[in-house]
Amino acid sequence: MATYSSEDFEDSRFDYGERVRVLLRHPKFGHIMGEAKGTCAGREKDVAFETEDGEERVKTLVWLKDMEGYEKPHDNLPGETKEVDDAWFAEEALRKRDGDLLDGVSFN
């Protein structure tokens, strides 16, 4: 199991243990559907993944724990959701708690 510390956030605008907001975007269309809150618990740079349309992208991901307001589709109950306590998000989707300079800015 990987361990994370404040050293992982040395070149980030966020701090290990900082409480942040995360913008929740539609997976296909990208528009903002809401926001959740969580605590920065880990960070991985240069994570490669493939988009639904086959494009390869690389992003920095941040693991948020102690989340509030984040639900995902339920694995076993179609049409139902379940609350999630922790998840990985692109660092660019994170915002400071109040009055973030990037509020209103969209990244694709």
Side-chain angles (χ1 to χ4, degrees), residues 34-83:
E35 73 176 36
K37 295 176 183 157
T39 302
C40 295
R43 185 170 179 256
E44 294 282 343
K45 292 195 258 182
D46 303 322
V47 177
F49 63 96
E50 190 172 307
T51 64
E52 287 184 11
D53 57 357
E55 180 183 346
E56 181 154 329
R57 302 196 63 187
V58 176
K59 294 192 178 212
T60 296
L61 302 180
V62 176
W63 176 42
L64 298 182
K65 65 178 187 175
D66 303 325
M67 293 194 69
E68 297 173 17
Y70 183 51
E71 293 188 0
K72 290 175 60 173
H74 196 287
D75 295 332
N76 301 318
L77 300 172
E80 297 291 324
T81 61
K82 63 179 177 178
E83 193 166 340

Short mmCIF file of all heavy atoms in Angstrom, two decimals, residues 34-83:
data_model
loop_
_atom_site.label_atom_id
_atom_site.label_comp_id
_atom_site.label_asym_id
_atom_site.label_seq_id
_atom_site.Cartn_x
_atom_site.Cartn_y
_atom_site.Cartn_z
N GLY A 34 -22.15 19.85 -9.80
CA GLY A 34 -22.20 20.09 -8.36
C GLY A 34 -20.80 20.15 -7.80
O GLY A 34 -19.82 20.23 -8.54
N GLU A 35 -20.72 20.11 -6.49
CA GLU A 35 -19.42 20.08 -5.85
C GLU A 35 -19.51 19.27 -4.57
O GLU A 35 -20.59 19.07 -4.01
CB GLU A 35 -18.87 21.48 -5.60
CG GLU A 35 -19.51 22.25 -4.50
CD GLU A 35 -18.83 23.61 -4.26
OE1 GLU A 35 -18.38 24.25 -5.23
OE2 GLU A 35 -18.76 24.01 -3.10
N ALA A 36 -18.37 18.78 -4.15
CA ALA A 36 -18.25 18.02 -2.91
C ALA A 36 -17.06 18.58 -2.14
O ALA A 36 -16.33 19.43 -2.67
CB ALA A 36 -18.06 16.54 -3.21
N LYS A 37 -16.87 18.10 -0.94
CA LYS A 37 -15.73 18.54 -0.13
C LYS A 37 -14.97 17.31 0.34
O LYS A 37 -15.54 16.24 0.53
CB LYS A 37 -16.22 19.33 1.08
CG LYS A 37 -16.88 20.62 0.70
CD LYS A 37 -17.43 21.34 1.90
CE LYS A 37 -18.15 22.59 1.41
NZ LYS A 37 -19.12 23.07 2.35
N GLY A 38 -13.67 17.48 0.51
CA GLY A 38 -12.84 16.39 1.00
C GLY A 38 -11.52 16.92 1.50
O GLY A 38 -11.19 18.10 1.34
N THR A 39 -10.74 16.03 2.09
CA THR A 39 -9.44 16.37 2.66
C THR A 39 -8.34 15.74 1.81
O THR A 39 -8.39 14.54 1.51
CB THR A 39 -9.34 15.84 4.11
OG1 THR A 39 -10.40 16.41 4.87
CG2 THR A 39 -8.02 16.19 4.74
N CYS A 40 -7.35 16.54 1.41
CA CYS A 40 -6.23 16.06 0.59
C CYS A 40 -5.44 15.02 1.39
O CYS A 40 -4.90 15.32 2.45
CB CYS A 40 -5.32 17.21 0.19
SG CYS A 40 -6.09 18.43 -0.89
N ALA A 41 -5.36 13.81 0.85
CA ALA A 41 -4.71 12.72 1.56
C ALA A 41 -3.58 12.07 0.77
O ALA A 41 -2.78 11.32 1.33
CB ALA A 41 -5.74 11.66 1.94
N GLY A 42 -3.50 12.33 -0.53
CA GLY A 42 -2.45 11.74 -1.36
C GLY A 42 -2.41 12.44 -2.71
O GLY A 42 -3.37 13.09 -3.10
N ARG A 43 -1.27 12.30 -3.37
CA ARG A 43 -1.11 12.97 -4.68
C ARG A 43 -0.18 12.14 -5.55
O ARG A 43 0.87 11.70 -5.11
CB ARG A 43 -0.52 14.36 -4.46
CG ARG A 43 -0.42 15.21 -5.71
CD ARG A 43 -0.07 16.64 -5.30
NE ARG A 43 0.08 17.51 -6.45
CZ ARG A 43 1.26 17.93 -6.94
NH1 ARG A 43 2.39 17.56 -6.36
NH2 ARG A 43 1.29 18.70 -7.99
N GLU A 44 -0.60 11.92 -6.80
CA GLU A 44 0.19 11.18 -7.78
C GLU A 44 0.32 12.03 -9.04
O GLU A 44 -0.69 12.44 -9.62
CB GLU A 44 -0.48 9.85 -8.14
CG GLU A 44 -0.55 8.86 -7.01
CD GLU A 44 0.77 8.14 -6.77
OE1 GLU A 44 1.64 8.16 -7.65
OE2 GLU A 44 0.91 7.56 -5.69
N LYS A 45 1.55 12.29 -9.46
CA LYS A 45 1.79 13.09 -10.67
C LYS A 45 1.92 12.18 -11.89
O LYS A 45 2.31 11.02 -11.78
CB LYS A 45 3.08 13.91 -10.51
CG LYS A 45 2.98 14.98 -9.47
CD LYS A 45 4.12 15.96 -9.61
CE LYS A 45 5.18 15.71 -8.59
NZ LYS A 45 6.27 16.68 -8.65
N ASP A 46 1.61 12.75 -13.05
CA ASP A 46 1.80 12.10 -14.35
C ASP A 46 1.12 10.74 -14.45
O ASP A 46 1.71 9.75 -14.89
CB ASP A 46 3.30 11.96 -14.64
CG ASP A 46 4.01 13.30 -14.63
OD1 ASP A 46 3.41 14.28 -15.11
OD2 ASP A 46 5.16 13.37 -14.15
N VAL A 47 -0.15 10.70 -14.09
CA VAL A 47 -0.94 9.48 -14.21
C VAL A 47 -1.56 9.45 -15.60
O VAL A 47 -2.31 10.35 -15.98
CB VAL A 47 -2.04 9.41 -13.13
CG1 VAL A 47 -2.90 8.17 -13.31
CG2 VAL A 47 -1.42 9.45 -11.74
N ALA A 48 -1.22 8.44 -16.39
CA ALA A 48 -1.72 8.30 -17.76
C ALA A 48 -3.03 7.51 -17.75
O ALA A 48 -3.18 6.54 -17.00
CB ALA A 48 -0.69 7.60 -18.63
N PHE A 49 -3.97 7.95 -18.58
CA PHE A 49 -5.23 7.23 -18.73
C PHE A 49 -5.78 7.51 -20.12
O PHE A 49 -5.36 8.42 -20.80
CB PHE A 49 -6.24 7.64 -17.64
CG PHE A 49 -6.64 9.08 -17.70
CD1 PHE A 49 -7.80 9.46 -18.36
CD2 PHE A 49 -5.86 10.06 -17.11
CE1 PHE A 49 -8.17 10.80 -18.42
CE2 PHE A 49 -6.22 11.39 -17.16
CZ PHE A 49 -7.38 11.76 -17.82
N GLU A 50 -6.73 6.68 -20.52
CA GLU A 50 -7.35 6.84 -21.83
C GLU A 50 -8.78 7.32 -21.65
O GLU A 50 -9.53 6.80 -20.82
CB GLU A 50 -7.35 5.49 -22.56
CG GLU A 50 -7.76 5.60 -24.01
CD GLU A 50 -7.56 4.29 -24.74
OE1 GLU A 50 -6.45 3.73 -24.69
OE2 GLU A 50 -8.54 3.84 -25.37
N THR A 51 -9.17 8.33 -22.43
CA THR A 51 -10.53 8.85 -22.37
C THR A 51 -11.48 7.92 -23.11
O THR A 51 -11.04 6.99 -23.81
CB THR A 51 -10.60 10.26 -22.99
OG1 THR A 51 -10.28 10.16 -24.37
CG2 THR A 51 -9.66 11.23 -22.28
N GLU A 52 -12.78 8.18 -22.98
CA GLU A 52 -13.78 7.35 -23.66
C GLU A 52 -13.62 7.36 -25.17
O GLU A 52 -13.95 6.39 -25.83
CB GLU A 52 -15.19 7.82 -23.29
CG GLU A 52 -15.60 7.47 -21.89
CD GLU A 52 -17.04 7.86 -21.61
OE1 GLU A 52 -17.78 8.23 -22.55
OE2 GLU A 52 -17.41 7.81 -20.44
N ASP A 53 -13.10 8.46 -25.72
CA ASP A 53 -12.92 8.53 -27.17
C ASP A 53 -11.53 8.07 -27.61
O ASP A 53 -11.12 8.30 -28.74
CB ASP A 53 -13.23 9.93 -27.71
CG ASP A 53 -12.38 11.02 -27.06
OD1 ASP A 53 -11.60 10.70 -26.15
OD2 ASP A 53 -12.50 12.18 -27.48
N GLY A 54 -10.79 7.40 -26.72
CA GLY A 54 -9.51 6.80 -27.08
C GLY A 54 -8.30 7.71 -26.99
O GLY A 54 -7.19 7.30 -27.30
N GLU A 55 -8.50 8.94 -26.56
CA GLU A 55 -7.38 9.88 -26.42
C GLU A 55 -6.61 9.58 -25.13
O GLU A 55 -7.20 9.33 -24.09
CB GLU A 55 -7.94 11.30 -26.37
CG GLU A 55 -6.89 12.37 -26.24
CD GLU A 55 -7.50 13.76 -26.12
OE1 GLU A 55 -8.69 13.94 -26.40
OE2 GLU A 55 -6.76 14.67 -25.73
N GLU A 56 -5.28 9.60 -25.23
CA GLU A 56 -4.46 9.40 -24.03
C GLU A 56 -4.19 10.75 -23.38
O GLU A 56 -3.83 11.71 -24.04
CB GLU A 56 -3.15 8.70 -24.33
CG GLU A 56 -2.35 8.48 -23.06
CD GLU A 56 -1.40 7.32 -23.12
OE1 GLU A 56 -1.69 6.34 -23.82
OE2 GLU A 56 -0.37 7.40 -22.46
N ARG A 57 -4.37 10.81 -22.06
CA ARG A 57 -4.14 12.04 -21.30
C ARG A 57 -3.30 11.71 -20.08
O ARG A 57 -3.27 10.58 -19.61
CB ARG A 57 -5.46 12.65 -20.88
CG ARG A 57 -6.30 12.92 -22.13
CD ARG A 57 -7.42 13.81 -21.99
NE ARG A 57 -7.09 15.17 -21.61
CZ ARG A 57 -8.00 16.04 -21.33
NH1 ARG A 57 -9.27 15.71 -21.34
NH2 ARG A 57 -7.67 17.27 -21.01
N VAL A 58 -2.65 12.74 -19.56
CA VAL A 58 -1.84 12.61 -18.35
C VAL A 58 -2.25 13.73 -17.41
O VAL A 58 -2.33 14.89 -17.82
CB VAL A 58 -0.33 12.71 -18.67
CG1 VAL A 58 0.50 12.67 -17.40
CG2 VAL A 58 0.09 11.60 -19.63
N LYS A 59 -2.52 13.37 -16.15
CA LYS A 59 -2.93 14.36 -15.17
C LYS A 59 -2.30 14.06 -13.82
O LYS A 59 -1.84 12.95 -13.57
CB LYS A 59 -4.46 14.38 -15.01
CG LYS A 59 -5.18 14.85 -16.25
CD LYS A 59 -6.62 15.12 -15.97
CE LYS A 59 -7.28 15.64 -17.24
NZ LYS A 59 -8.32 16.56 -16.99
N THR A 60 -2.34 15.06 -12.96
CA THR A 60 -1.98 14.87 -11.56
C THR A 60 -3.28 14.62 -10.81
O THR A 60 -4.25 15.37 -10.94
CB THR A 60 -1.28 16.12 -10.99
OG1 THR A 60 -0.04 16.29 -11.70
CG2 THR A 60 -0.99 15.98 -9.52
N LEU A 61 -3.29 13.53 -10.03
CA LEU A 61 -4.48 13.15 -9.28
C LEU A 61 -4.25 13.37 -7.80
O LEU A 61 -3.15 13.18 -7.28
CB LEU A 61 -4.82 11.68 -9.53
CG LEU A 61 -5.08 11.28 -10.98
CD1 LEU A 61 -5.41 9.80 -11.06
CD2 LEU A 61 -6.18 12.12 -11.60
N VAL A 62 -5.32 13.76 -7.11
CA VAL A 62 -5.28 13.94 -5.66
C VAL A 62 -6.35 13.05 -5.05
O VAL A 62 -7.49 13.02 -5.51
CB VAL A 62 -5.52 15.42 -5.28
CG1 VAL A 62 -5.59 15.58 -3.76
CG2 VAL A 62 -4.44 16.31 -5.85
N TRP A 63 -5.95 12.32 -4.02
CA TRP A 63 -6.86 11.45 -3.29
C TRP A 63 -7.50 12.27 -2.19
O TRP A 63 -6.81 12.86 -1.35
CB TRP A 63 -6.11 10.26 -2.72
CG TRP A 63 -6.93 9.35 -1.86
CD1 TRP A 63 -8.20 8.91 -2.10
CD2 TRP A 63 -6.52 8.75 -0.64
NE1 TRP A 63 -8.60 8.07 -1.10
CE2 TRP A 63 -7.59 7.96 -0.19
CE3 TRP A 63 -5.35 8.81 0.10
CZ2 TRP A 63 -7.53 7.23 0.98
CZ3 TRP A 63 -5.28 8.07 1.28
CH2 TRP A 63 -6.36 7.29 1.70
N LEU A 64 -8.84 12.35 -2.22
CA LEU A 64 -9.59 13.04 -1.18
C LEU A 64 -10.26 12.02 -0.28
O LEU A 64 -10.84 11.05 -0.76
CB LEU A 64 -10.65 13.95 -1.79
CG LEU A 64 -10.16 15.08 -2.69
CD1 LEU A 64 -11.34 15.92 -3.16
CD2 LEU A 64 -9.14 15.95 -1.99
N LYS A 65 -10.16 12.23 1.02
CA LYS A 65 -10.85 11.36 1.97
C LYS A 65 -11.78 12.22 2.83
O LYS A 65 -11.80 13.44 2.69
CB LYS A 65 -9.85 10.58 2.83
CG LYS A 65 -9.01 11.43 3.74
CD LYS A 65 -8.08 10.56 4.57
CE LYS A 65 -7.37 11.43 5.61
NZ LYS A 65 -6.57 10.64 6.51
N ASP A 66 -12.54 11.58 3.69
CA ASP A 66 -13.51 12.27 4.55
C ASP A 66 -14.42 13.16 3.71
O ASP A 66 -14.70 14.31 4.06
CB ASP A 66 -12.82 13.10 5.63
CG ASP A 66 -11.89 12.28 6.51
OD1 ASP A 66 -12.24 11.11 6.77
OD2 ASP A 66 -10.84 12.79 6.91
N MET A 67 -14.90 12.61 2.60
CA MET A 67 -15.70 13.40 1.66
C MET A 67 -17.13 13.61 2.14
O MET A 67 -17.68 12.77 2.84
CB MET A 67 -15.71 12.72 0.29
CG MET A 67 -14.33 12.72 -0.35
SD MET A 67 -14.40 12.31 -2.08
CE MET A 67 -15.19 13.78 -2.73
N GLU A 68 -17.68 14.74 1.72
CA GLU A 68 -19.09 15.08 1.94
C GLU A 68 -19.67 15.50 0.60
O GLU A 68 -19.06 16.25 -0.14
CB GLU A 68 -19.21 16.26 2.90
CG GLU A 68 -18.67 16.02 4.29
CD GLU A 68 -18.68 17.30 5.12
OE1 GLU A 68 -19.38 18.26 4.75
OE2 GLU A 68 -17.97 17.33 6.12
N GLY A 69 -20.85 14.98 0.28
CA GLY A 69 -21.56 15.42 -0.91
C GLY A 69 -21.18 14.73 -2.20
O GLY A 69 -21.52 15.20 -3.28
N TYR A 70 -20.48 13.58 -2.12
CA TYR A 70 -20.09 12.87 -3.34
C TYR A 70 -20.80 11.53 -3.39
O TYR A 70 -20.66 10.71 -2.49
CB TYR A 70 -18.58 12.69 -3.41
CG TYR A 70 -18.10 12.03 -4.68
CD1 TYR A 70 -18.48 12.50 -5.93
CD2 TYR A 70 -17.25 10.94 -4.64
CE1 TYR A 70 -18.04 11.91 -7.10
CE2 TYR A 70 -16.79 10.33 -5.80
CZ TYR A 70 -17.20 10.82 -7.02
OH TYR A 70 -16.76 10.23 -8.18
N GLU A 71 -21.56 11.32 -4.46
CA GLU A 71 -22.25 10.05 -4.67
C GLU A 71 -21.91 9.51 -6.05
O GLU A 71 -21.72 10.27 -6.99
CB GLU A 71 -23.76 10.23 -4.54
CG GLU A 71 -24.19 10.58 -3.13
CD GLU A 71 -25.70 10.56 -2.97
OE1 GLU A 71 -26.42 10.27 -3.95
OE2 GLU A 71 -26.14 10.84 -1.84
N LYS A 72 -21.84 8.19 -6.14
CA LYS A 72 -21.58 7.51 -7.41
C LYS A 72 -22.71 6.52 -7.66
O LYS A 72 -23.40 6.12 -6.72
CB LYS A 72 -20.25 6.74 -7.32
CG LYS A 72 -19.04 7.64 -7.27
CD LYS A 72 -17.76 6.88 -7.06
CE LYS A 72 -17.48 5.87 -8.15
NZ LYS A 72 -16.16 5.24 -8.04
N PRO A 73 -22.89 6.10 -8.91
CA PRO A 73 -23.89 5.06 -9.17
C PRO A 73 -23.59 3.82 -8.32
O PRO A 73 -22.44 3.41 -8.17
CB PRO A 73 -23.72 4.77 -10.66
CG PRO A 73 -23.14 6.03 -11.22
CD PRO A 73 -22.24 6.56 -10.13
N HIS A 74 -24.64 3.23 -7.78
CA HIS A 74 -24.50 2.03 -6.95
C HIS A 74 -24.13 0.84 -7.84
O HIS A 74 -24.70 0.67 -8.92
CB HIS A 74 -25.80 1.75 -6.21
CG HIS A 74 -25.66 0.81 -5.07
ND1 HIS A 74 -25.47 -0.54 -5.24
CD2 HIS A 74 -25.65 1.03 -3.75
CE1 HIS A 74 -25.36 -1.12 -4.06
NE2 HIS A 74 -25.47 -0.17 -3.13
N ASP A 75 -23.18 0.02 -7.39
CA ASP A 75 -22.71 -1.13 -8.17
C ASP A 75 -23.81 -2.17 -8.40
O ASP A 75 -23.86 -2.81 -9.44
CB ASP A 75 -21.53 -1.81 -7.48
CG ASP A 75 -20.31 -0.92 -7.40
OD1 ASP A 75 -20.15 -0.05 -8.28
OD2 ASP A 75 -19.51 -1.09 -6.46
N ASN A 76 -24.67 -2.37 -7.42
CA ASN A 76 -25.63 -3.47 -7.48
C ASN A 76 -27.08 -3.05 -7.64
O ASN A 76 -27.94 -3.91 -7.81
CB ASN A 76 -25.51 -4.33 -6.22
CG ASN A 76 -24.11 -4.88 -6.05
OD1 ASN A 76 -23.49 -5.32 -7.01
ND2 ASN A 76 -23.59 -4.83 -4.84
N LEU A 77 -27.35 -1.75 -7.57
CA LEU A 77 -28.73 -1.28 -7.67
C LEU A 77 -28.86 -0.25 -8.78
O LEU A 77 -28.55 0.92 -8.58
CB LEU A 77 -29.18 -0.67 -6.33
CG LEU A 77 -29.14 -1.60 -5.11
CD1 LEU A 77 -29.40 -0.81 -3.84
CD2 LEU A 77 -30.15 -2.73 -5.26
N PRO A 78 -29.29 -0.67 -9.97
CA PRO A 78 -29.41 0.27 -11.09
C PRO A 78 -30.32 1.45 -10.73
O PRO A 78 -31.35 1.28 -10.10
CB PRO A 78 -30.03 -0.58 -12.20
CG PRO A 78 -29.72 -2.00 -11.82
CD PRO A 78 -29.68 -2.02 -10.32
N GLY A 79 -29.91 2.64 -11.13
CA GLY A 79 -30.69 3.83 -10.87
C GLY A 79 -30.51 4.41 -9.46
O GLY A 79 -31.07 5.44 -9.15
N GLU A 80 -29.75 3.74 -8.63
CA GLU A 80 -29.49 4.20 -7.26
C GLU A 80 -28.06 4.69 -7.15
O GLU A 80 -27.18 4.29 -7.91
CB GLU A 80 -29.72 3.07 -6.26
CG GLU A 80 -31.13 2.54 -6.22
CD GLU A 80 -32.12 3.55 -5.64
OE1 GLU A 80 -31.74 4.29 -4.71
OE2 GLU A 80 -33.26 3.59 -6.12
N THR A 81 -27.82 5.55 -6.18
CA THR A 81 -26.46 6.03 -5.90
C THR A 81 -26.07 5.66 -4.48
O THR A 81 -26.92 5.31 -3.65
CB THR A 81 -26.36 7.55 -6.07
OG1 THR A 81 -27.23 8.19 -5.14
CG2 THR A 81 -26.68 7.99 -7.49
N LYS A 82 -24.77 5.75 -4.23
CA LYS A 82 -24.27 5.52 -2.87
C LYS A 82 -23.26 6.60 -2.55
O LYS A 82 -22.52 7.07 -3.43
CB LYS A 82 -23.65 4.13 -2.74
CG LYS A 82 -22.42 3.91 -3.61
CD LYS A 82 -21.85 2.54 -3.40
CE LYS A 82 -20.66 2.33 -4.34
NZ LYS A 82 -20.05 1.04 -4.16
N GLU A 83 -23.24 7.01 -1.30
CA GLU A 83 -22.30 8.03 -0.87
C GLU A 83 -20.90 7.42 -0.80
O GLU A 83 -20.72 6.28 -0.39
CB GLU A 83 -22.69 8.58 0.50
CG GLU A 83 -21.93 9.83 0.85
CD GLU A 83 -22.54 10.57 2.04
OE1 GLU A 83 -23.72 10.35 2.35
OE2 GLU A 83 -21.80 11.36 2.63
#
